[in-house]
Amino acid sequence: VDSRKLLERALNAIGPMDKLTSITAVRVLMTSRQSRSGSTKTSEVERTTYYPDRLYVETHNGAEPVTAIVITPQSAYVQAAGQSKGTPPAGIVEDYRTGMKFDSPYIAQHMGEFTLSYDGQEVVGGKKCDKVRITHDSGKEEVWSIDQGGKILRRSGKFSSGEYSVEFGDFHSVDGVNVPFH
C-alpha cells in the first residue's frame, strides 16, 4: 500500500491542494472530553492556529476561570482570568507546538518534513480505514485512519501527558474545505 497516495487522498478529500497550501490561520470551536483515572472533564475550547508556528487556546470548563495559552516560536505564556501571566509547563508547550505540525494545512504546506509509512487497517465508526503513520523530522508522529473516500476518521498519537485519540465525523464544506463538525 502506497502511504503517500493515502495521505494525498486524505488531503484532497479535505480540499484542493492550492486551497490547503494557502491557509494561513484556522479557528476551531470544540468541546473537549478528557478521561483520566475513571473521571471525565468536559471543556469548551477555542483554538486559533496561525501557521506555521503560532497558537492561541482559550479553555472554559464550568466554574473554573477561563484559561488562555499563547504560543509563539520565541515564547509561551498562560493566563487564567483574574490572574497574572505565567509560563505553562514545557511538556504542554511542546505538545501544542507538535500538534500544530500535524494539522492538515501544515502537512500540505510542509510535506518534505514528514516520512510516511503504512500502519495496517482498522474500523472506525463502522468504516474500514487504512492507517498512515506520519513521522515529522523531529521524531514526533501521529497515525491517521483514512476511510475509502479519503476522510480522516481518527488521529492518534502520544503527548507528554499520555496517548490521545480523536475521532471525526459529520463533515461539511466550509469555504471549499471539508471540515468535521464532530
Side-chain angles (χ1 to χ4, degrees):
V1 177
D2 187 336
S3 54
R4 179 131 183 122
K5 287 193 186 301
L6 285 171
L7 180 65
E8 288 172 357
R9 182 175 62 184
L11 293 174
N12 286 325
I14 294 167
M17 280 302 270
D18 62 334
K19 184 77 157 176
L20 287 177
T21 57
S22 71
I23 293 173
T24 58
V26 173
R27 179 177 176 247
V28 177
L29 303 174
M30 67 184 130
T31 300
S32 171
R33 289 181 190 82
Q34 296 178 343
S35 299
R36 287 193 180 118
S37 304
S39 67
T40 300
K41 179 179 176 180
T42 301
S43 305
E44 297 302 316
V45 179
E46 175 183 346
R47 178 181 186 254
T48 306
T49 307
Y50 302 91
Y51 297 106
D53 54 11
R54 294 172 182 359
L55 182 70
Y56 172 81
V57 180
E58 190 173 285
T59 305
H60 310 256
N61 50 13
E64 295 180 29
V66 173
T67 302
I69 295 177
V70 175
I71 297 175
T72 70
Q74 298 80 20
S75 65
Y77 73 85
V78 62
Q79 184 170 13
Q83 299 178 6
S84 61
K85 292 179 187 176
T87 303
I92 289 174
V93 173
E94 182 59 28
D95 290 346
Y96 277 122
R97 285 186 173 136
T98 298
M100 285 187 277
K101 289 183 172 85
F102 288 97
D103 289 350
S104 52
Y106 185 95
I107 289 176
Q109 295 166 14
H110 300 91
M111 289 286 279
E113 295 178 11
F114 297 91
T115 303
L116 310 170
S117 60
Y118 184 70
D119 206 39
Q121 294 182 328
E122 71 172 336
V123 175
V124 179
K127 295 185 179 183
K128 183 173 136 183
C129 295
D130 290 301
K131 298 190 314 182
V132 175
R133 183 169 301 275
I134 305 168
T135 306
H136 186 263
D137 288 345
S138 66
K140 305 287 184 174
E141 59 186 24
E142 193 170 91
V143 175
W144 287 7
S145 298
I146 304 165
D147 75 3
Q148 300 307 305
K151 291 185 178 127
I152 303 162
L153 299 185
R154 182 191 328 256
R155 286 174 50 178
S156 58
K158 294 180 182 176
F159 275 158
S160 63
S161 59
E163 295 181 6
Y164 63 89
S165 177
V166 181
E167 291 189 24
F168 302 98
D170 191 23
F171 293 84
H172 297 274
S173 180
V174 177
D175 194 28
V177 177
N178 290 313
V179 178
F181 276 62
H182 178 80

